[in-house]
Amino acid sequence: MADQEVIKHTKKIYKIWNSEAHGFWYKAKEFVLEILIIVFAVSLSIWLHGRSEHTHQQKDVKDFLLGLEADLKSDLQEMKEDRATYQRSGMAFKYLRSLKRNETANADSIYMYANVLFNTTGLLPNNSRYEGFKSSGKIGTIENKELQNEIVDLYQDNIPILISFTNYYNEGKRSLNSYFNKNLKRLSDSTTNFNAVMATDEAYNIAGDLNNVKNIIKQYDKCINNIDKIKKLIDKEYNQ
């Protein structure tokens, strides 16, 4: 539409300027008028195109954020469960480290902590939506800068740090598991030398690293608070 207007008024300028029926000042006045019309038509076209592009852009942002909120709901549930597991794991190894030399571990305590002694726990974030949006260069189109910063902080800093902490911890778990697999023996059909293996210096030392989960718990809390902020900002953005 704008192109047609420009062409039409350009032809009119050419026709007026080359007309012999009008004097110079009339031609100059009409020339300026037509130029102003062309400038207005082009500016209006650019503005309308920008508005249309902005509307489409913000629709993409809304679709992304509402989808991200669903991803975060799932991640939040997993984080809370994982955090509780690490708390129990820390308690289990703190108990084992509290045993004196040649002291037998309480059977009920071992049974209570059995499911966290050798298992590994780590977050598998639902980050494909974020990674796709980021790789397309659209993160900057989130106009709420506080929300944008919270999202970037979560996925670029807080979650990677959490995964780094839990990976290191799980390496200790795997070392302990490997040590027990090599040294655990059956004493009878119903008993093993678990206490004896746990009393060795190597197992005791590994358990010493595994009883400290303070930094992991702190990082889970940081991620959970980060997600809570993001969810509140998204809800506020779209009046949910």
Side-chain angles (χ1 to χ4, degrees), residues 64-80 144 146-152 154-155 222-240:
F64 164 70
L65 291 175
L66 295 182
L68 184 73
E69 191 169 27
D71 292 341
L72 293 178
K73 183 178 179 181
S74 175
D75 285 343
L76 186 61
Q77 181 63 33
E78 183 181 348
M79 284 183 187
K80 289 179 177 179
N144 185 324
E146 182 183 5
L147 175 56
Q148 182 188 134
N149 290 336
E150 289 290 342
I151 291 170
V152 172
L154 177 67
Y155 286 102
K222 198 169 185 178
C223 289
I224 289 169
N225 290 334
N226 201 170
I227 289 174
D228 284 339
K229 285 183 183 178
I230 291 170
K231 284 165 59 60
K232 287 177 182 176
L233 287 168
I234 292 174
D235 289 344
K236 183 179 178 181
E237 193 77 12
Y238 299 109
N239 298 315
Q240 296 191 98

Side-chain angles (χ1 to χ4, degrees), residues 75 80 118 162-163 169 171 234:
D75 285 343
K80 289 179 177 179
F118 300 107
L162 174 63
I163 291 173
Y169 188 88
E171 280 302 310
I234 292 174

